[in-house]
Coordinates of all heavy atoms in Angstrom, one line a residue:
M1 N -42.0 -41.9 62.3 CA -42.1 -43.3 62.8 C -43.1 -43.4 63.9 O -43.0 -42.5 64.9 CB -40.7 -43.7 63.3 CG -40.6 -45.2 63.8 SD -39.0 -45.9 64.1 CE -38.3 -44.8 65.3
V2 N -43.9 -44.3 64.0 CA -44.8 -44.5 65.0 C -44.5 -45.9 65.7 O -44.4 -47.0 65.0 CB -46.2 -44.6 64.7 CG1 -47.3 -44.8 65.7 CG2 -46.5 -43.1 64.1
I3 N -44.4 -45.9 67.1 CA -44.2 -47.2 67.8 C -45.4 -47.3 68.8 O -45.6 -46.4 69.5 CB -42.8 -47.2 68.6 CG1 -41.7 -47.1 67.6 CG2 -42.8 -48.5 69.3 CD1 -40.3 -47.0 68.2
E4 N -46.0 -48.5 68.6 CA -47.2 -48.5 69.5 C -46.8 -49.8 70.5 O -46.5 -50.7 70.0 CB -48.4 -48.9 68.7 CG -48.9 -47.8 67.7 CD -50.2 -48.2 67.0 OE1 -50.7 -49.4 67.3 OE2 -50.6 -47.5 66.1
L5 N -46.9 -49.4 71.7 CA -46.6 -50.4 72.8 C -47.9 -51.2 72.9 O -49.1 -50.8 72.8 CB -46.2 -49.8 74.0 CG -45.0 -48.8 73.9 CD1 -44.7 -48.2 75.4 CD2 -43.8 -49.7 73.6
S6 N -47.7 -52.6 73.3 CA -48.9 -53.3 73.5 C -49.6 -52.9 74.8 O -49.1 -52.3 75.6 CB -48.3 -54.8 73.6 OG -47.6 -55.0 74.9
P7 N -50.9 -53.3 74.9 CA -51.6 -53.0 76.0 C -51.1 -53.5 77.3 O -51.4 -53.1 78.3 CB -53.0 -53.4 75.6 CG -53.1 -53.7 74.2 CD -51.8 -53.9 73.8
A8 N -50.4 -54.6 77.2 CA -49.7 -55.3 78.3 C -48.6 -54.6 78.9 O -48.1 -55.0 80.0 CB -49.4 -56.8 78.0
S9 N -48.2 -53.6 78.2 CA -47.0 -52.8 78.7 C -47.3 -52.1 80.0 O -48.3 -51.3 80.0 CB -46.5 -51.8 77.6 OG -45.4 -51.1 78.1
T10 N -46.6 -52.3 81.1 CA -46.9 -51.7 82.3 C -46.3 -50.4 82.5 O -46.7 -49.5 83.1 CB -46.6 -52.7 83.4 OG1 -45.2 -53.0 83.4 CG2 -47.4 -53.9 83.4
A11 N -45.1 -50.2 82.1 CA -44.2 -49.0 82.2 C -44.4 -48.1 81.0 O -44.2 -48.5 79.9 CB -42.8 -49.3 82.6
T12 N -44.8 -46.8 81.4 CA -44.8 -45.9 80.2 C -43.4 -45.6 79.5 O -42.5 -45.4 80.2 CB -45.5 -44.5 80.7 OG1 -46.6 -44.8 81.3 CG2 -45.7 -43.6 79.5
G13 N -43.3 -45.7 78.2 CA -42.1 -45.4 77.5 C -41.1 -46.6 77.5 O -40.0 -46.4 77.1
V14 N -41.5 -47.8 78.1 CA -40.6 -48.9 78.0 C -41.0 -49.9 76.9 O -42.2 -50.1 76.8 CB -40.7 -49.6 79.5 CG1 -39.8 -50.9 79.4 CG2 -40.3 -48.8 80.5
F15 N -39.9 -50.2 76.2 CA -40.1 -51.2 75.0 C -39.1 -52.2 75.1 O -37.9 -51.9 75.2 CB -40.1 -50.3 73.7 CG -40.2 -51.3 72.5 CD1 -41.4 -51.8 72.1 CD2 -39.0 -51.7 71.8 CE1 -41.5 -52.5 71.0 CE2 -39.1 -52.5 70.7 CZ -40.4 -52.9 70.3
E16 N -39.6 -53.4 75.0 CA -38.7 -54.5 75.1 C -39.1 -55.5 74.0 O -40.2 -55.9 74.0 CB -38.7 -55.3 76.4 CG -37.6 -56.3 76.6 CD -37.7 -56.9 78.0 OE1 -37.7 -56.0 78.9 OE2 -37.5 -58.1 78.2
G17 N -38.2 -55.7 73.1 CA -38.5 -56.7 71.9 C -37.9 -56.3 70.7 O -36.8 -55.6 70.7
L18 N -38.4 -56.9 69.7 CA -37.9 -56.5 68.4 C -38.7 -55.6 67.5 O -39.8 -55.7 67.6 CB -37.6 -57.9 67.5 CG -36.7 -59.0 68.1 CD1 -36.6 -60.2 67.3 CD2 -35.4 -58.4 68.2
A19 N -38.2 -54.9 66.6 CA -39.0 -54.1 65.7 C -38.3 -54.2 64.4 O -37.2 -54.3 64.2 CB -38.8 -52.6 66.2
H20 N -39.1 -53.9 63.4 CA -38.8 -53.8 62.0 C -39.0 -52.4 61.5 O -40.1 -52.0 61.4 CB -39.5 -54.8 61.0 CG -39.1 -54.8 59.7 ND1 -38.0 -55.4 59.2 CD2 -39.6 -54.1 58.5 CE1 -37.9 -55.3 57.8 NE2 -38.9 -54.5 57.5
I21 N -37.9 -51.7 61.2 CA -37.9 -50.4 60.8 C -37.4 -50.3 59.4 O -36.4 -50.7 59.1 CB -37.1 -49.4 61.7 CG1 -37.6 -49.4 63.1 CG2 -37.2 -48.0 61.2 CD1 -36.7 -48.8 64.2
V22 N -38.2 -49.6 58.5 CA -37.8 -49.4 57.1 C -37.6 -47.9 56.9 O -38.6 -47.1 57.1 CB -38.8 -50.0 56.2 CG1 -38.4 -49.8 54.7 CG2 -38.9 -51.5 56.5
I23 N -36.5 -47.5 56.4 CA -36.3 -46.2 55.9 C -36.1 -46.2 54.4 O -35.2 -46.8 53.9 CB -35.0 -45.6 56.7 CG1 -35.3 -45.6 58.1 CG2 -34.8 -44.2 56.2 CD1 -34.1 -45.2 58.9
G24 N -36.8 -45.4 53.8 CA -36.8 -45.5 52.3 C -36.7 -44.1 51.8 O -37.0 -43.1 52.4
D25 N -36.1 -44.0 50.5 CA -36.0 -42.8 49.8 C -37.4 -42.6 49.1 O -37.9 -43.4 48.4 CB -34.9 -42.8 48.9 CG -33.6 -42.9 49.7 OD1 -33.4 -42.2 50.6 OD2 -32.6 -43.5 49.0
P26 N -37.9 -41.4 49.1 CA -39.1 -41.1 48.1 C -38.7 -41.5 46.8 O -37.6 -41.2 46.3 CB -39.4 -39.6 48.5 CG -38.2 -39.0 49.0 CD -37.4 -40.1 49.6
P27 N -39.6 -41.9 46.0 CA -39.4 -42.1 44.6 C -39.1 -40.9 43.7 O -39.6 -39.9 44.2 CB -40.7 -42.8 44.0 CG -41.8 -42.4 45.0 CD -41.1 -42.1 46.3
G28 N -38.2 -41.0 42.7 CA -37.9 -39.9 42.0 C -39.1 -39.5 41.1 O -40.0 -40.2 40.8
P29 N -39.0 -38.2 40.7 CA -40.2 -37.6 40.0 C -40.3 -38.1 38.5 O -41.2 -37.9 37.8 CB -40.0 -36.2 40.1 CG -38.6 -35.9 40.2 CD -38.0 -37.1 40.9
G30 N -39.2 -38.8 38.1 CA -39.0 -39.1 36.7 C -40.3 -40.0 36.1 O -40.9 -39.6 35.2
P31 N -40.6 -41.1 36.7 CA -41.8 -41.9 36.2 C -43.1 -41.2 36.2 O -43.9 -41.3 35.3 CB -41.8 -43.1 37.1 CG -40.4 -43.1 37.6 CD -39.9 -41.8 37.7
A32 N -43.4 -40.4 37.3 CA -44.6 -39.6 37.3 C -44.7 -38.4 36.2 O -45.8 -38.3 35.5 CB -44.8 -39.0 38.6
A33 N -43.5 -37.8 36.0 CA -43.4 -36.8 34.9 C -43.6 -37.5 33.5 O -44.3 -36.9 32.7 CB -42.1 -36.1 35.1
A34 N -42.9 -38.5 33.4 CA -43.1 -39.2 32.2 C -44.6 -39.7 31.7 O -45.1 -39.4 30.8 CB -42.3 -40.5 32.1
A35 N -45.2 -40.2 32.9 CA -46.6 -40.5 32.6 C -47.5 -39.3 32.4 O -48.4 -39.4 31.4 CB -47.1 -41.2 33.8
F36 N -47.3 -38.2 33.1 CA -48.0 -37.0 32.9 C -47.8 -36.5 31.4 O -48.8 -36.1 30.8 CB -47.6 -36.0 33.8 CG -47.9 -34.6 33.5 CD1 -49.3 -34.2 33.9 CD2 -47.1 -33.6 33.1 CE1 -49.8 -32.9 33.7 CE2 -47.5 -32.3 32.9 CZ -48.9 -31.9 33.2
L37 N -46.5 -36.4 30.9 CA -46.3 -35.9 29.7 C -46.8 -36.8 28.6 O -47.2 -36.3 27.5 CB -44.7 -35.7 29.6 CG -44.2 -34.6 30.4 CD1 -42.6 -34.8 30.4 CD2 -44.7 -33.3 30.0
S38 N -46.8 -38.1 28.9 CA -47.4 -39.1 27.9 C -48.7 -38.9 27.6 O -49.3 -39.1 26.5 CB -47.1 -40.5 28.4 OG -45.7 -40.7 28.3
A39 N -49.6 -38.4 28.5 CA -51.0 -38.1 28.4 C -51.4 -36.9 27.8 O -52.6 -36.6 27.5 CB -51.6 -38.1 29.8
I40 N -50.5 -36.0 27.4 CA -50.7 -34.7 26.7 C -50.6 -34.7 25.3 O -49.7 -35.3 24.6 CB -49.7 -33.6 27.2 CG1 -50.0 -33.5 28.8 CG2 -49.8 -32.3 26.5 CD1 -49.0 -32.6 29.3
S41 N -51.7 -34.3 24.6 CA -51.6 -34.1 23.2 C -50.8 -33.1 22.8 O -51.0 -31.9 23.2 CB -53.1 -33.9 22.7 OG -53.1 -33.4 21.3
P42 N -49.8 -33.4 21.8 CA -48.9 -32.3 21.3 C -49.6 -31.1 20.6 O -49.3 -30.0 20.8 CB -48.0 -33.0 20.4 CG -47.9 -34.5 20.8 CD -49.4 -34.6 21.2
A43 N -50.5 -31.6 19.8 CA -51.4 -30.5 19.1 C -52.2 -29.6 20.1 O -52.1 -28.4 19.9 CB -52.2 -31.2 18.1
E44 N -52.8 -30.2 20.9 CA -53.6 -29.5 22.0 C -52.6 -28.5 22.8 O -53.0 -27.5 23.1 CB -54.2 -30.5 23.0 CG -55.1 -29.8 24.0 CD -56.0 -30.8 24.7 OE1 -56.3 -31.7 24.2 OE2 -56.1 -30.6 25.9
L45 N -51.4 -29.0 23.2 CA -50.5 -28.3 24.0 C -49.9 -27.0 23.2 O -49.9 -25.9 23.6 CB -49.3 -29.0 24.4 CG -48.1 -28.3 25.2 CD1 -48.6 -27.8 26.4 CD2 -47.0 -29.4 25.5
E46 N -49.6 -27.3 21.9 CA -49.1 -26.2 21.0 C -50.3 -25.2 20.9 O -50.0 -23.9 21.0 CB -48.8 -26.8 19.6 CG -48.2 -25.7 18.8 CD -47.7 -26.3 17.4 OE1 -47.4 -27.4 17.3 OE2 -47.6 -25.5 16.4
K47 N -51.5 -25.6 20.5 CA -52.6 -24.6 20.5 C -52.8 -23.9 21.7 O -53.0 -22.6 21.7 CB -53.8 -25.4 20.0 CG -55.0 -24.4 19.8 CD -56.3 -25.2 19.4 CE -57.5 -24.4 19.1 NZ -57.6 -23.0 19.7
A48 N -52.8 -24.5 22.8 CA -53.0 -23.8 24.1 C -52.0 -22.7 24.3 O -52.2 -21.7 24.9 CB -53.1 -24.8 25.3
A49 N -50.7 -23.1 24.0 CA -49.6 -22.1 24.2 C -49.8 -21.0 23.4 O -49.5 -19.9 23.7 CB -48.2 -23.0 24.0
L50 N -50.1 -21.3 22.0 CA -50.2 -20.2 21.2 C -51.5 -19.2 21.5 O -51.3 -17.9 21.1 CB -50.3 -20.6 19.8 CG -49.0 -21.3 19.2 CD1 -49.2 -21.9 17.8 CD2 -47.9 -20.2 19.0
D51 N -52.4 -19.8 22.2 CA -53.7 -19.0 22.4 C -53.4 -18.2 23.8 O -54.1 -17.3 24.1 CB -54.8 -19.9 22.7 CG -55.4 -20.5 21.5 OD1 -54.9 -20.0 20.3 OD2 -56.1 -21.5 21.4
R52 N -52.3 -18.6 24.6 CA -52.1 -17.8 25.8 C -51.2 -16.5 25.5 O -50.0 -16.6 25.6 CB -51.4 -18.6 26.7 CG -52.3 -19.8 27.4 CD -53.1 -19.0 28.5 NE -52.7 -18.5 29.4 CZ -52.2 -19.0 30.5 NH1 -52.4 -20.3 30.9 NH2 -51.7 -18.2 31.6
H53 N -51.8 -15.5 25.1 CA -51.1 -14.2 24.7 C -50.5 -13.6 25.9 O -49.5 -12.9 25.9 CB -52.1 -13.3 24.1 CG -52.7 -13.9 22.7 ND1 -51.9 -13.9 21.6 CD2 -53.9 -14.3 22.5 CE1 -52.6 -14.5 20.7 NE2 -53.9 -14.7 21.2
D54 N -51.0 -13.9 27.1 CA -50.4 -13.4 28.4 C -48.9 -14.0 28.6 O -48.3 -13.5 29.4 CB -51.3 -13.6 29.6 CG -51.6 -15.1 29.8 OD1 -51.9 -15.8 28.8 OD2 -51.4 -15.6 31.0
L55 N -48.7 -15.2 28.0 CA -47.4 -15.8 28.1 C -46.3 -15.4 27.1 O -45.2 -15.7 27.1 CB -47.6 -17.4 28.1 CG -48.5 -17.9 29.2 CD1 -48.7 -19.3 29.1 CD2 -47.8 -17.5 30.7
M56 N -47.0 -14.7 26.0 CA -46.0 -14.3 24.9 C -45.5 -12.8 25.1 O -46.3 -12.0 25.5 CB -46.9 -14.5 23.6 CG -47.4 -15.7 23.3 SD -46.1 -16.9 22.9 CE -47.0 -18.4 22.4
D57 N -44.2 -12.8 25.1 CA -43.6 -11.3 25.3 C -42.7 -11.0 24.2 O -42.1 -9.9 24.3 CB -43.0 -11.4 26.7 CG -41.9 -12.5 26.9 OD1 -41.5 -13.1 25.8 OD2 -41.4 -12.8 27.9
G58 N -42.5 -11.7 23.3 CA -41.7 -11.4 22.1 C -40.2 -11.6 22.3 O -39.4 -11.4 21.4
R59 N -39.9 -12.2 23.4 CA -38.5 -12.5 23.6 C -38.1 -13.7 23.0 O -39.1 -14.6 22.7 CB -38.1 -12.5 25.3 CG -38.4 -11.1 25.9 CD -38.0 -11.2 27.3 NE -38.1 -12.6 28.0 CZ -38.2 -12.8 29.1 NH1 -38.2 -12.0 30.1 NH2 -38.3 -14.1 29.6
P60 N -36.8 -14.2 22.9 CA -36.4 -15.3 22.3 C -37.1 -16.6 23.1 O -37.2 -16.5 24.3 CB -34.9 -15.4 22.4 CG -34.5 -14.0 22.5 CD -35.7 -13.4 23.2
H61 N -37.4 -17.6 22.4 CA -37.9 -18.8 23.0 C -39.3 -18.7 23.7 O -39.5 -19.4 24.6 CB -36.8 -19.5 23.9 CG -35.5 -19.5 23.4 ND1 -35.1 -20.2 22.2 CD2 -34.4 -18.8 23.8 CE1 -33.8 -20.0 22.0 NE2 -33.4 -19.2 22.9
E62 N -40.1 -17.7 23.3 CA -41.4 -17.4 23.9 C -42.3 -18.6 23.9 O -43.0 -18.8 24.9 CB -42.1 -16.2 23.4 CG -42.5 -16.3 22.0 CD -43.2 -15.0 21.6 OE1 -43.5 -14.1 22.4 OE2 -43.5 -14.9 20.3
L63 N -42.3 -19.3 22.7 CA -43.3 -20.6 22.7 C -42.7 -21.6 23.6 O -43.6 -22.2 24.3 CB -43.3 -21.0 21.3 CG -44.2 -22.3 21.0 CD1 -45.6 -22.0 21.4 CD2 -44.1 -22.7 19.6
T64 N -41.5 -21.9 23.8 CA -41.0 -22.8 24.6 C -41.3 -22.5 26.1 O -41.7 -23.3 26.9 CB -39.5 -23.1 24.5 OG1 -39.2 -23.5 23.1 CG2 -39.0 -24.1 25.4
R65 N -41.1 -21.2 26.4 CA -41.4 -20.7 27.8 C -42.8 -20.8 28.1 O -43.4 -21.2 29.1 CB -40.9 -19.3 28.0 CG -39.4 -19.3 28.3 CD -38.9 -17.8 28.7 NE -38.7 -17.0 27.4 CZ -39.6 -16.1 27.1 NH1 -40.6 -15.9 27.9 NH2 -39.4 -15.4 26.1
A66 N -43.8 -20.5 27.0 CA -45.1 -20.5 27.1 C -45.6 -22.0 27.4 O -46.5 -22.3 28.3 CB -45.8 -20.0 26.1
T67 N -45.0 -23.0 26.7 CA -45.4 -24.3 26.9 C -44.9 -24.9 28.2 O -45.7 -25.5 28.8 CB -44.5 -25.1 25.7 OG1 -45.0 -24.7 24.4 CG2 -44.8 -26.6 25.7
L68 N -43.7 -24.5 28.7 CA -43.2 -24.9 29.9 C -44.2 -24.4 31.1 O -44.5 -25.0 32.1 CB -41.9 -24.6 30.3 CG -40.9 -25.3 29.4 CD1 -39.4 -24.6 29.6 CD2 -40.9 -26.9 29.8
A69 N -44.6 -23.1 30.9 CA -45.7 -22.5 31.8 C -46.9 -23.3 31.9 O -47.5 -23.6 33.0 CB -45.7 -21.1 31.6
L70 N -47.4 -23.5 30.8 CA -48.7 -24.4 30.7 C -48.5 -25.7 31.3 O -49.3 -26.3 32.1 CB -49.0 -24.6 29.2 CG -49.7 -23.4 28.6 CD1 -50.0 -23.6 27.1 CD2 -51.1 -23.2 29.3
L71 N -47.4 -26.5 31.0 CA -47.1 -27.8 31.6 C -47.1 -27.6 33.1 O -47.7 -28.5 33.9 CB -45.9 -28.3 31.1 CG -46.0 -28.8 29.7 CD1 -44.7 -29.3 29.2 CD2 -46.9 -29.9 29.4
R72 N -46.5 -26.6 33.7 CA -46.4 -26.4 35.1 C -47.9 -26.1 35.7 O -48.3 -26.8 36.7 CB -45.6 -25.1 35.5 CG -44.1 -25.4 35.6 CD -43.4 -24.3 36.3 NE -43.6 -23.0 35.4 CZ -42.8 -22.7 34.5 NH1 -41.8 -23.5 34.1 NH2 -42.9 -21.6 33.8
E73 N -48.7 -25.3 34.9 CA -50.1 -25.1 35.4 C -50.9 -26.4 35.4 O -51.6 -26.7 36.2 CB -50.7 -24.0 34.5 CG -50.3 -22.7 34.7 CD -50.8 -21.7 33.7 OE1 -51.8 -22.0 33.0 OE2 -50.3 -20.5 33.8
W74 N -50.8 -27.1 34.2 CA -51.4 -28.4 34.2 C -51.0 -29.5 35.2 O -51.9 -30.1 35.7 CB -51.4 -29.0 32.7 CG -52.0 -28.1 31.6 CD1 -52.6 -26.9 31.7 CD2 -51.9 -28.3 30.2 NE1 -53.1 -26.5 30.6 CE2 -52.6 -27.3 29.6 CE3 -51.3 -29.4 29.4 CZ2 -52.7 -27.2 28.2 CZ3 -51.4 -29.3 28.0 CH2 -52.1 -28.2 27.5
A75 N -49.8 -29.4 35.4 CA -49.3 -30.4 36.5 C -49.9 -30.1 37.9 O -50.1 -31.0 38.7 CB -47.8 -30.4 36.5
L76 N -50.2 -28.9 38.2 CA -50.8 -28.3 39.3 C -52.3 -28.4 39.4 O -53.0 -28.0 40.2 CB -50.4 -27.0 39.7 CG -48.8 -26.8 39.9 CD1 -48.4 -25.3 40.1 CD2 -48.5 -27.5 41.3
G77 N -52.9 -29.0 38.2 CA -54.3 -29.2 38.1 C -55.1 -27.8 37.7 O -56.2 -27.8 37.9
Q78 N -54.3 -26.9 37.2 CA -55.0 -25.7 36.7 C -55.2 -25.7 35.2 O -54.9 -24.9 34.5 CB -54.1 -24.5 37.1 CG -53.6 -24.4 38.6 CD -52.5 -23.4 38.8 OE1 -51.9 -22.9 37.9 NE2 -52.2 -23.2 40.1
W79 N -56.1 -26.6 34.8 CA -56.5 -26.6 33.5 C -57.9 -27.2 33.4 O -58.3 -28.2 34.1 CB -55.7 -27.8 32.7 CG -55.9 -27.9 31.2 CD1 -56.1 -27.0 30.3 CD2 -56.2 -29.2 30.6 NE1 -56.3 -27.4 29.1 CE2 -56.4 -28.9 29.3 CE3 -56.2 -30.6 31.1 CZ2 -56.6 -29.8 28.3 CZ3 -56.5 -31.3 30.1 CH2 -56.7 -31.2 28.9
D80 N -58.8 -26.6 32.6 CA -60.2 -27.0 32.5 C -60.5 -27.7 31.2 O -61.7 -27.9 30.9 CB -61.1 -25.7 32.7 CG -60.9 -25.2 33.9 OD1 -60.7 -25.7 34.9 OD2 -60.9 -23.8 34.0
G81 N -59.4 -28.1 30.5 CA -59.7 -28.9 29.2 C -59.6 -27.8 28.1 O -59.4 -26.6 28.2
P82 N -59.8 -28.3 26.8 CA -59.7 -27.5 25.7 C -60.7 -26.5 25.7 O -61.9 -26.7 26.1 CB -59.7 -28.4 24.4 CG -60.3 -29.7 25.1 CD -60.0 -29.7 26.6
E83 N -60.5 -25.2 25.2 CA -61.5 -24.2 24.8 C -62.3 -24.6 23.8 O -61.9 -25.2 22.8 CB -60.8 -23.0 24.7 CG -59.9 -22.3 25.7 CD -60.7 -21.9 27.0 OE1 -61.9 -21.5 26.7 OE2 -60.2 -22.2 28.1
P84 N -63.7 -24.4 23.9 CA -64.6 -24.7 22.8 C -64.2 -23.9 21.7 O -63.9 -22.7 21.6 CB -66.1 -24.4 23.4 CG -65.7 -23.6 24.6 CD -64.3 -23.8 25.1
E85 N -64.4 -24.5 20.4 CA -64.2 -23.8 19.1 C -65.3 -22.8 18.9 O -66.3 -23.0 19.4 CB -64.1 -24.8 18.0 CG -63.0 -25.9 18.1 CD -61.7 -25.2 17.7 OE1 -61.6 -24.3 17.0 OE2 -60.6 -25.8 18.4
D86 N -65.0 -21.9 18.1 CA -66.0 -20.8 17.7 C -67.3 -21.6 17.0 O -67.1 -22.5 16.2 CB -65.5 -19.9 16.8 CG -64.5 -18.9 17.4 OD1 -64.5 -18.8 18.6 OD2 -63.7 -18.2 16.6
G87 N -68.5 -21.3 17.6 CA -69.6 -22.0 17.0 C -70.1 -23.1 17.9 O -71.0 -23.7 17.6
E88 N -69.3 -23.6 18.8 CA -69.6 -24.8 19.6 C -70.3 -24.4 21.0 O -70.0 -23.4 21.5 CB -68.5 -25.7 19.9 CG -67.9 -26.4 18.8 CD -66.9 -27.5 19.1 OE1 -66.6 -27.6 20.2 OE2 -66.3 -27.8 18.2

């Protein structure tokens, strides 16, 4: 919170009058997450997850874990777009 006293104030730290203070809760992450996920191509995500051999370890649910890892990376801006196809 920042309170600025008027230039006419003569005593330092003295405030007289009314103020409007609003305390709000930060918005939940749901709407932002939904917008982010809506912009992702399912086919592109699946291909990217299957192409990331460093995320595949043979344990159960490896594709789901790879997909979630990719989504975390992409949400942090660590994505350069789709890899070019062979011959392009």
Side-chain angles (χ1 to χ4, degrees):
M1 177 172 61
V2 175
I3 298 176
E4 295 180 9
L5 300 177
S6 71
S9 177
T10 56
T12 304
V14 173
F15 176 77
E16 188 175 312
L18 299 175
H20 181 80
I21 299 173
V22 177
I23 300 173
D25 293 325
F36 169 74
L37 294 172
S38 295
I40 294 174
S41 161
E44 189 175 314
L45 178 59
E46 183 177 338
K47 181 180 181 334
L50 291 171
D51 287 346
R52 285 288 302 271
H53 300 289
D54 60 314
L55 299 176
M56 300 295 188
D57 57 12
R59 295 184 336 201
H61 315 294
E62 70 180 350
L63 180 58
T64 302
R65 282 186 284 103
T67 301
L68 290 171
L70 279 172
L71 289 172
R72 278 190 298 273
E73 289 176 8
W74 293 358
L76 294 171
Q78 301 169 350
W79 179 55
D80 297 324
E83 295 294 322
E85 297 289 329
D86 290 342
E88 286 188 12

